[in-house]
Amino acid sequence: MNQTKRHVFILEKVKVNGEVNSKDLTEELNVSLMTINRDLKALSENGELELVYGGAVYKKTDLSEYPMTIKREVNAYGKKLIGEYCKRLVKPYSSIFIETGTTTLAVAHEIFRTRNCTFYSNSLMVLSTLSKHKDISLFSVPGEYRDLSQGFLGVQTIDYIKDFQFDLVFVGTEGITLEHGVTLPDEIDAFTKKAIINQAKQVVLVADKTKFGISHLYKAGEVKDFDVIITDLPKDHESFKEISQVTNIISVAE
């Protein structure tokens, strides 16, 4: 298969699945890893996709964020591993805030079993997930609905939570680097996350490997502002090593 056909194949695959893995592509296209990396680099330079550790994710050129329908499918297994680990962090009788995002949604799928916890969320997906389970206390946090986040954000959200002190808060992100911190492409989203973080006794950042090495315009906080970061980024990755110097970061990578 020539380069043009490979590029078409890769683009179609990333649009359907939301992501591609470099090693999988070498087997499917019967070419070397070096060739695949060159193809991905060329497509990223054209703005077609965005490079991440071990492959690439779909980049929709007319949006600064990926829609939730795409993001839910990107690295779904890694997010599940993160969610499973987070069960260890939750103690009975805790007040827990679960913020918007697909990785935080993976956390919600796992931690609801913890005994006698009270859950709060501004995420429509998290609320929908938790509402299916009996014998839990669940509170919906108000705000202005934002479709890209599928959650409620802004002034109303911040006003509502200002009198709370949550035992544990799970927060997601769209980008994380040691230099630029934890960042997002939307100002209101970043502003809301920052306010939620301020109302927590313990803040857990859940970030799958596709978020590392990426920075956006608006900052929710410095890396050191988070008590612990749970990720599927391998321990030998340079970003993992850098961040481990300033805060507690845990890898669930198998």
Side-chain angles (χ1 to χ4, degrees), residues 136-156:
I136 66 169
S137 297
L138 176 63
F139 292 87
S140 174
V141 176
E144 181 179 358
Y145 182 72
R146 183 171 183 263
D147 189 51
L148 276 175
S149 302
Q150 288 198 17
F152 304 95
L153 312 171
V155 175
Q156 282 182 298

Side-chain angles (χ1 to χ4, degrees), residues 24 97 104 148 194 204:
D24 291 344
F97 194 109
T104 49
L148 276 175
K194 187 179 295 186
V204 179

Side-chain angles (χ1 to χ4, degrees), residues 105 109 121 123-133 138:
L105 177 62
H109 278 290
S121 185
S123 165
L124 191 61
M125 295 188 300
V126 168
L127 291 167
S128 176
T129 296
L130 294 180
S131 68
K132 296 170 185 173
H133 303 289
L138 176 63

Side-chain angles (χ1 to χ4, degrees), residues 50-242:
E50 186 171 309
L51 298 178
V52 296
Y53 179 79
V57 295
Y58 181 47
K59 184 174 184 179
K60 197 156 174 70
T61 55
D62 60 339
L63 293 174
S64 59
E65 291 181 86
Y66 310 129
M68 284 292 184
T69 51
I70 291 176
K71 291 201 291 186
R72 287 190 69 168
E73 301 303 320
V74 174
N75 194 21
Y77 181 65
K79 293 171 184 176
K80 185 177 188 299
L81 292 178
I82 292 170
E84 289 174 349
Y85 185 91
C86 286
K87 285 188 292 188
R88 306 183 191 184
L89 305 177
V90 182
K91 298 177 182 178
Y93 299 94
S94 296
S95 56
I96 301 166
F97 194 109
I98 306 178
E99 223 265 328
T100 59
T102 55
T103 312
T104 49
L105 177 62
V107 173
H109 278 290
E110 301 295 334
I111 69 170
F112 71 90
R113 298 178 182 88
T114 307
R115 188 162 54 96
N116 293 317
C117 286
T118 303
F119 294 93
Y120 298 81
S121 185
N122 63 330
S123 165
L124 191 61
M125 295 188 300
V126 168
L127 291 167
S128 176
T129 296
L130 294 180
S131 68
K132 296 170 185 173
H133 303 289
K134 297 180 180 179
D135 302 322
I136 66 169
S137 297
L138 176 63
F139 292 87
S140 174
V141 176
E144 181 179 358
Y145 182 72
R146 183 171 183 263
D147 189 51
L148 276 175
S149 302
Q150 288 198 17
F152 304 95
L153 312 171
V155 175
Q156 282 182 298
T157 308
I158 295 166
D159 282 345
Y160 180 84
I161 65 169
K162 66 182 180 181
D163 294 325
F164 288 81
Q165 192 66 35
F166 303 104
D167 292 318
L168 189 60
V169 167
F170 290 98
V171 181
T173 185
E174 294 297 331
I176 175 172
T177 67
L178 183 59
E179 181 182 3
H180 298 110
V182 174
T183 55
L184 298 113
D186 181 75
E187 182 179 14
I188 301 301
D189 197 1
F191 189 59
T192 304
K193 286 186 195 298
K194 187 179 295 186
I196 292 168
I197 290 166
N198 288 337
Q199 304 304 126
K201 295 177 183 177
Q202 183 180 19
V203 186
V204 179
L205 179 68
V206 289
D208 79 282
K209 63 187 178 183
T210 66
K211 305 301 180 3
F212 286 81
I214 299 172
S215 63
H216 296 282
L217 181 59
Y218 302 102
K219 182 183 290 187
E222 301 288 352
V223 170
K224 63 181 176 62
D225 294 336
F226 298 85
D227 297 298
V228 61
I229 298 171
I230 312 298
T231 182
D232 63 332
L233 189 72
K235 293 180 180 179
D236 59 357
H237 192 277
E238 191 61 33
S239 292
F240 188 97
K241 294 177 182 177
E242 290 178 351

